[in-house]
Amino acid sequence: MKKHQELFERQKQYFLAGNTRDIKHRIDSIRSLGNELTRHEKQINEAVFLDLRKSSFELFSTEIAGILHEIKWISAKLRKWTRPIAIRTNLVNLPGHSRVLIEPYGNTLIIGTWNYPFLLTVKPAVSALAAGNPVIIKPSEFSSHSSHILAEIIASALPPELCSVVEGGVLEVTELLKLPFDKIFFTGSTNVGKIVMRAAAENLSSLTLELGGKSPVFVLPDAVQPVTAKRIVWGKFLNAGQTCIAPDFILVHESVAENLIDNLAAQVLLMFGPDPSKSVAFGRIVDQRHFDRLISMIDEKNTVIGGIHNRNDLFISPTVLYPVSFSDPVMKEEIFGPILPVIPYSNLQDAVNLVRSLPKPLSLYVFNQSGKERDSIISNISFGGGCVNDTVMHIANPHLPFGGVGPSGYGRYHGKAGILEFSNQKSMIYKATWIDPFIRYPPFTGFKEKILRKLL
Ligand code: NAD
């Protein structure tokens, strides 16, 4: 605790001395981070392979490229995004003008998880640093190889009083959460999100929660075609299904369900071959606890694709279950692995209502060629974000704010949204003194009230 407290105090003094205020300094800091990330790419590849058997292609496309792009883009736009925003001034405040000032919060804690060990720690850290905050990053203990390399990268890119990594698990998070952080940014499960929220309440720290949930995919009858199956299979089995915005389950009209299954099977074969355990494009489950949890969800009776597994290798092949109903065990919690239940429906409104009875998901996907039904689904269900005729790709648009709603989290980041998420938006009125209307000051008279009523 003493060590964390000292680091916290050091960062606080660094912040209070104004060291993070200069925009050029902030841009230099995130660029330095980007340079060290690039310089360590080989070690990052090795670490993420050991943690998750992720291929270098997948690592670069889903983690590193996004971080480097974010650094480049924020560097180009930071001055504009942090400029005071001119706001209209109302009559009673004239003569004067109004501004919203974009200012850093101060001491910031970023808690990450293991499934994208660099993206989910470095990307929010880039936003936090660019917004002018000193940062402590606590990566997940379950991706320990990645966590060690991240600590090395941060230490070589930035001074500890600006940014530092604290490695460890529940104990470290618990100790860190006792400190009065100005901002806490948490990525992880809904249950731990509640623990973090309770701890943040003690200090009334500003909080962002990036959580999970069961993200549905609706496939309407006019959309059953190879490209639909291709995009679902890609989004679902990326990182062996361990992606917060991965499709969790499919809802498909009963008349085309079997056609969709055939298309899914064809795409699984095309992407991962007859033996996916030999495919470099297919990852592994993070640990035996998650492996056992996932295996318990596979019911041999309705396994129509895959279902093959090997505990020693933490391998579960891309698996599709059909037909599944909302009362099946696989529908009781977020899957977070390579198992895809397919639920046939006969009435779209009933399917929408069933999804509405579940906790609000992080993402939702609709495959539909015509606009009416998809718009009805999108407007009738509350969720964080999603795609029409694709999966996962909304996260790849850096102009779109990213986040959940309710049980899938709150707050938004990426690009400008990230800068604002890590900033206090200070509302100011600047008044002139050369005129000072007497009306608001006592003693109050009937005459003053008359004028006031006219003015307001
Ligand atoms: P988790 O909640 O178990 O762990 C996340 C972090 O919390 C880790 O750093 C861990 O050390 C810490 N932690 C764990 N237990 C704790 C406790 N009792 N007290 C304090 N800290 C604790 O997360 P997980 O289950 O490993 O990750 C998977 C979940 O994260 C899924 O639900 C997934 O959807 C979600 N997720 C969300 C996003 C997003 O961007 N919204 C991204 C990735 C993952």
Side-chain angles (χ1 to χ4, degrees), residues 404-442:
V405 54
S408 54
Y410 65 83
R412 290 287 182 274
Y413 75 126
H414 293 182
K416 186 178 180 184
I419 299 301
L420 296 180
E421 191 69 19
F422 285 99
S423 300
N424 172 33
Q425 299 180 45
K426 194 184 265 175
S427 301
M428 293 296 303
I429 283 193
Y430 300 81
K431 300 287 288 275
T433 54
W434 56 268
I435 180 169
D436 191 27
F438 64 99
I439 307 161
R440 69 166 148 154
Y441 302 111

Side-chain angles (χ1 to χ4, degrees), residues 112-115 120 138 141 173 187-189 192 210-212 244 334:
T113 186
W114 47 265
N115 60 333
L120 302 176
K138 209 303 285 174
E141 66 277 30
V173 184
T187 305
S189 60
V192 180
E210 297 286 343
L211 311 176
C244 56
E334 179 184 4

Side-chain angles (χ1 to χ4, degrees), residues 52-53 240 242 276-279 282-286 313-315:
L52 292 158
R53 198 79 76 84
Q242 300 163 116
S277 72
K278 300 212 163 69
S279 165
F282 192 71
R284 294 297 183 269
I285 305 308
V286 67
D313 191 25
L314 296 174
F315 168 78

Side-chain angles (χ1 to χ4, degrees), residues 127-142:
S127 304
L129 291 164
N133 304 284
V135 179
I136 292 177
I137 303 174
K138 209 303 285 174
S140 173
E141 66 277 30
F142 295 110

Side-chain angles (χ1 to χ4, degrees), residues 215-234:
S215 299
V217 183
F218 282 85
V219 180
L220 283 101
D222 67 353
V224 177
Q225 52 178 327
V227 67
T228 296
K230 198 189 288 179
R231 290 177 181 185
I232 295 173
V233 165
W234 172 79

Side-chain angles (χ1 to χ4, degrees), residues 179-200:
L179 298 168
F181 281 97
D182 299 289
K183 175 82 199 175
I184 299 172
F185 184 101
F186 171 80
T187 305
S189 60
T190 300
N191 281 340
V192 180
K194 289 180 190 172
I195 296 173
V196 172
M197 193 163 187
R198 274 185 221 114

Side-chain angles (χ1 to χ4, degrees), residues 62-82:
T62 62
E63 300 207 53
I64 307 302
I67 300 169
L68 296 179
H69 181 272
E70 185 86 344
I71 291 172
K72 209 169 152 188
W73 194 42
I74 289 181
S75 302
K77 297 284 182 188
L78 190 61
R79 278 179 207 284
K80 189 172 164 205
W81 291 343
T82 52

